[in-house]
Amino acid sequence: MNDSRSQILNSLRHRLPQSAPLPTMDESWIQFPDPIAQFRDSVVAVGGQTETCKAADLADTVGRLTVFDESKRIVSTVDGIAGNVDLQQVADPHDLEDVHLAIALGQFGVAENGAVWIDDHSLRHRVVLFIPQHVILVIPSRDVVHNMHEAYRRIDFAENHFGVFISGPSKTADIEQSLVIGAHGARSMHVVLVD
Amino acid sequence: MSSKTDHPALATVFVRDEARTKWHDEALWFVRTKRDRAAAAVPEWETLRTTAEQIKAHVVANLAELLERFEQNAAARGIQVHWASDGEEHNRIVLEILKKHNVRHVVKSKSMLTEECHLNPYLEANDISVVDTDLGERIVQLRGESPSHIVLPAIHIKKEEVGETFHEHLGTDAGASDPQYLTEAARQHLREQFMKADAGITGVNFAIAETGGFVVCTNEGNADLGVSLPGLHIACMGLEKMIPRYQDLAVFTRLLARSATGQPITTYTSHFHGPRENGELHIVIVDNGRTDLRSDENFRRSLSCIRCGACMNTCPVYRRSGGHSYQSTVPGPIGSILAPARDAHQFHTLPFACSLCGSCTDVCPVKIDLHHELLTWRREIARRNALPRSKKWGMRLASAVLRRPWLYRLAGSMARIFLRWTPRWILYSKLNTWGRQRDLPVPPAKSFRQMYRERQKRS
Ligand code: SF4
């Protein structure tokens, strides 16, 4: 095993092609006149839905959604919204198989592609983002950035083991290029923007 | 594979079904148009491509340092790093890890590298079941086929055929072919597989030297489900997947999905920076010919490929000959560069499966000079004596004629007479393979030289 390592590294050190300097990336990347509106459009374009509300109305806004109404087992990591599955009591992620809905706090949204960044800090089981039938992500509307360059500037990788950009519900077009929502993961994705 | 790949012969079989060829062509062109729309919506698209190209050039030049830095940072985060010189060693390492954990069932998300290494048959021979969880890959796996495209593995299969396959293996209704219904059936079936898996294997889209983490992109969420239920995650990557800084991810995540399917980003872009609670995270770094490719000045740039598949979708030859006619894990323009680098004799026909239109080079998000490299390969194959005799003689004859102006003029006037007066049955005889599906143009009465001279006289 170690042999292959030194063999590979040695042959990569040999015959070095001319090195190119790394680009600085101080370009002027895309900016939108109204990033929040653009974010909403992007979420819809990738098959998701958005809601907007005041902080005080968050629980009501989420409660009014049909997916909330119809779900029996709910995981919520958002203060003020009650779920009925306590992640801290779940030792094995397999036990989350029949969770219908997960409601989680995302860190920020990206206007250009409707993605929400979320890490597993508060989640314990990251599968909770992928295994439920439906997912609702909540973000503060002031935390919408224009583009991916700004997005990565906000992430501190020293702090997390797992983080994901989620852009809309799970989807596939593997059968004759027909778009089907709900491949393996969430069948629907709501993003709630809190003012 | 011991016999040589004969792309023209395989393509001939493919185009025999005209309706299907047209359907295949149009399906891919549809994806290409989605890519065009997505690219046009980003004002700084060309800046992004140039930036990506520069980053990748830096990576190829500094691979040793970057890999070492990655290894150090990954280890500090509790990720176990392994190195494999070739496919066989890669398979052995993966098997060892699985055995240590008494794994019986593995779920795998799309990874062209494990295809390249033939990991599935190897694990199955060692009594470990492997289920490909990407829908397209699962379809081809159930049919006993291989993917025909790197992003759209089942692009060559019709929904009625998927219906038959699912009817046989998953018990869906006979004759059912609705994509929604079939996808739902696959969802249920694969959920069972996710639940019973003891380990998840993924590929890697980008590995970050600066942080020691890596990124996996999917639309279905299969990679994430596959590695967040079982405690063991093995990620397999070709050593060229390295990028220096996490800021570089902005450039690549913006380019990848737009180039591949016209989406602004993949649905799930997952960043792994350490094992799960009570879990283990392994990464296997594989060479398998990549260091050789790097020392080859002519083809080095093909290591920059981010496997978006755009060059396939746009290629007039790929669209009309199907991915399987290339008989290599990566088909299309980029595959026709990578495959002969592995084995120039077996894949000698691939660089000729190209009209040199240059469309691949135009769409490539990392600006690989694809059609130039394909042309270079043709010369290289001739030099290495891997050309079939008919092509070699033709090229020798052409070069003899082109070197002698008087002979060229004579040949031109003879051709103009010959093409006009020779009966079709001679012109389109077996000897003229080029004429099999094409008609030769009606030759002009005069040559360009003649017309030019007359024009000069008149003025
Ligand atoms: S060569 Fe370029 S266009 Fe083709 S798959 Fe690779 S990155 Fe995409």
Side-chain angles (χ1 to χ4, degrees):
Chain A
M1 179 178 122
N2 271 330
D3 259 342
S4 295
R5 178 184 184 278
S6 46
Q7 198 188 320
I8 291 170
L9 289 174
N10 284 338
S11 54
L12 289 175
R13 269 188 265 272
H14 285 164
R15 281 183 282 180
L16 259 192
Q18 254 180 344
S19 180
L22 269 178
T24 58
M25 301 224 268
D26 311 322
E27 303 288 336
S28 48
W29 309 112
I30 198 164
Q31 302 286 313
F32 301 95
D34 182 350
I36 297 175
Q38 174 63 39
F39 175 75
R40 273 199 234 106
D41 288 350
S42 295
V43 171
V44 171
V46 296
Q49 284 138 285
T50 62
E51 311 292 330
T52 308
C53 67
K54 299 253 171 290
D57 304 331
L58 178 60
D60 284 348
T61 307
V62 170
R64 273 198 299 275
L65 297 174
T66 1
V67 284
F68 187 85
D69 212 37
E70 287 172 357
S71 294
K72 288 183 202 76
R73 282 172 48 86
I74 298 175
V75 170
S76 171
T77 61
V78 180
D79 284 341
I81 302 176
N84 52 20
V85 179
D86 182 1
L87 279 188
Q88 298 312 319
Q89 303 301 314
V90 176
D92 180 355
H94 290 85
D95 295 341
L96 297 166
E97 189 198 4
D98 58 354
V99 168
H100 295 107
L101 173 66
I103 307 162
L105 209 51
Q107 264 108 318
F108 60 88
V110 187
E112 70 162 314
N113 55 25
V116 172
W117 172 258
I118 178 165
D119 65 32
D120 65 352
H121 237 61
S122 59
L123 286 178
R124 179 153 188 219
H125 299 293
R126 55 180 82 151
V127 79
V128 88
L129 294 172
F130 311 108
I131 209 166
Q133 304 294 324
H134 304 279
V135 169
I136 300 174
L137 296 176
V138 179
I139 57 168
S141 49
R142 60 167 188 281
D143 289 326
V144 170
V145 299
H146 290 268
N147 56 52
M148 290 302 285
H149 310 274
E150 292 173 14
Y152 276 108
R153 253 174 253 140
R154 291 189 56 143
I155 302 172
D156 182 4
F157 284 106
E159 284 297 307
N160 68 67
H161 271 186
F162 177 80
V164 56
F165 282 108
I166 302 181
S167 168
S170 155
K171 54 183 93 61
T172 182
D174 272 348
I175 302 177
E176 283 203 17
Q177 284 303 297
S178 309
L179 179 69
V180 178
I181 303 278
H184 297 296
R187 295 175 192 272
S188 78
M189 164 70 56
H190 285 266
V191 181
V192 183
L193 292 151
V194 183
D195 282 337
Chain B
M1 241 178 280
S2 55
S3 67
K4 286 189 185 181
T5 295
D6 188 345
H7 183 273
L10 294 163
T12 307
V13 178
F14 187 86
V15 295
R16 226 170 258 155
D17 189 339
E18 271 185 43
R20 198 184 182 99
T21 307
K22 188 162 183 291
W23 166 80
H24 187 265
D25 177 17
E26 282 168 359
L28 287 152
W29 189 251
F30 171 62
V31 184
R32 155 79 210 261
T33 53
K34 286 199 288 186
R35 171 251 168 230
D36 289 350
R37 269 200 302 273
V42 178
E44 65 264 33
W45 186 253
E46 289 308 314
T47 310
L48 277 176
R49 288 179 74 211
T50 311
T51 312
E53 181 194 16
Q54 289 166 346
I55 297 170
K56 282 291 187 176
H58 175 92
V59 168
V60 172
N62 298 285
L63 261 173
E65 297 87 280
L66 290 169
L67 282 162
E68 278 173 317
R69 195 134 66 89
F70 172 78
E71 181 188 39
Q72 230 171 37
N73 288 328
R77 288 173 175 275
I79 302 175
Q80 303 181 43
V81 182
H82 311 260
W83 301 76
S85 290
D86 53 23
E88 210 181 301
E89 191 177 9
H90 160 267
N91 293 349
R92 242 184 300 126
I93 293 170
V94 172
L95 179 67
E96 249 168 57
I97 304 171
L98 295 175
K99 279 217 162 130
K100 216 171 77 196
H101 289 81
N102 295 316
V103 169
R104 320 266 349 179
H105 303 288
V106 173
V107 282
K108 190 158 88 42
S109 69
K110 196 155 62 199
S111 143
M112 284 299 126
L113 178 68
T114 58
E115 287 284 336
E116 174 190 317
C117 300
H118 306 292
L119 178 68
N120 285 17
Y122 178 83
L123 292 183
E124 276 152 13
N126 284 283
D127 288 326
I128 294 175
S129 79
V130 190
V131 171
D132 283 317
T133 55
D134 171 81
L135 176 59
E137 279 213 310
R138 186 60 179 151
I139 293 169
V140 295
Q141 188 184 34
L142 288 173
R143 294 168 65 86
E145 297 181 18
S146 57
S148 70
H149 188 289
I150 56 175
V151 174
L152 320 160
I155 189 76
H156 63 293
I157 303 172
K158 297 213 162 194
K159 56 179 191 256
E160 291 79 15
E161 293 162 330
V162 177
E164 281 163 31
T165 306
F166 280 14
H167 174 61
E168 185 187 329
H169 294 276
L170 311 184
T172 51
D173 299 341
S177 67
D178 174 36
Q180 181 93 39
Y181 168 79
L182 295 174
T183 302
E184 181 61 33
R187 177 183 170 106
Q188 302 300 341
H189 156 70
L190 285 164
R191 283 243 158 177
E192 283 166 30
Q193 311 301 317
F194 286 123
M195 287 303 288
K196 78 171 189 203
D198 313 302
I201 296 180
T202 67
V204 168
N205 288 93
F206 309 102
I208 315 145
E210 179 182 48
T211 64
F214 61 93
V215 174
V216 180
C217 307
T218 74
N219 278 323
E220 300 180 3
N222 54 320
D224 294 294
L225 266 177
V227 302
S228 50
L229 286 166
L232 177 60
H233 174 183
I234 306 173
C236 306
M237 65 172 248
L239 52 80
E240 80 283 13
K241 296 288 178 193
M242 202 53 59
I243 57 167
R245 314 162 289 193
Y246 70 85
Q247 277 293 327
D248 300 323
L249 285 170
V251 175
F252 292 108
T253 53
R254 294 188 74 193
L255 286 168
L256 179 61
R258 286 184 173 100
S259 300
T261 57
Q263 294 168 259
I265 187 172
T266 44
T267 303
Y268 301 100
T269 306
S270 302
H271 301 59
F272 297 91
H273 277 90
R276 268 198 9 223
E277 186 184 295
N278 305 323
E280 267 183 36
L281 179 50
H282 295 258
I283 186 153
V284 189
I285 300 173
V286 184
D287 179 351
N288 208 29
R290 288 164 174 79
T291 51
D292 291 340
L293 191 55
R294 178 178 171 275
S295 14
D296 192 326
E297 204 179 341
N298 288 323
F299 307 114
R300 182 180 294 148
R301 285 175 70 184
S302 58
L303 276 176
S304 304
C305 173
I306 57 171
R307 301 286 191 271
C308 72
C311 57
M312 285 153 224
N313 306 341
T314 201
C315 176
V317 178
Y318 175 91
R319 280 189 274 122
R320 293 178 186 82
S321 61
H324 286 155
S325 64
Y326 294 78
Q327 290 192 328
S328 71
T329 309
V330 180
I334 182 66
S336 302
I337 296 167
L338 297 174
R342 191 144 304 189
D343 185 337
H345 273 268
Q346 192 195 326
F347 296 107
H348 75 274
T349 56
L350 295 192
F352 295 89
C354 164
S355 66
L356 296 179
C357 70
S359 182
C360 47
T361 307
D362 286 345
V363 297
C364 178
V366 287
K367 291 181 110 170
I368 300 173
D369 53 344
L370 290 153
H371 71 293
H372 290 282
E373 292 194 18
L374 284 164
L375 185 61
T376 309
W377 255 125
R378 294 185 184 182
R379 234 177 288 134
E380 191 59 18
I381 280 170
R383 199 181 60 79
R384 294 192 200 170
N385 248 338
L387 269 192
R389 229 175 283 149
S390 62
K391 219 162 226 154
K392 213 177 332 187
W393 286 355
M395 300 227 293
R396 273 205 200 129
L397 183 66
S399 120
V401 173
L402 290 171
R403 251 182 285 139
R404 298 172 180 80
W406 62 272
L407 194 54
Y408 176 76
R409 279 197 294 274
L410 180 68
S413 59
M414 272 169 58
R416 279 190 302 281
I417 297 167
F418 177 74
L419 279 180
R420 220 164 256 272
W421 303 109
T422 314
R424 277 192 74 88
W425 64 270
I426 299 186
L427 218 46
Y428 295 96
S429 72
K430 271 208 186 115
L431 283 172
N432 178 12
T433 50
W434 200 84
R436 255 182 231 155
Q437 290 104 10
R438 307 178 182 86
D439 268 359
L440 293 163
V442 181
K446 293 174 186 168
S447 73
F448 177 75
R449 292 172 67 93
Q450 284 166 337
M451 289 190 270
Y452 186 72
R453 225 179 289 130
E454 285 172 17
R455 213 184 118 98
Q456 292 293 83
K457 262 189 222 148
R458 269 201 313 266
S459 58

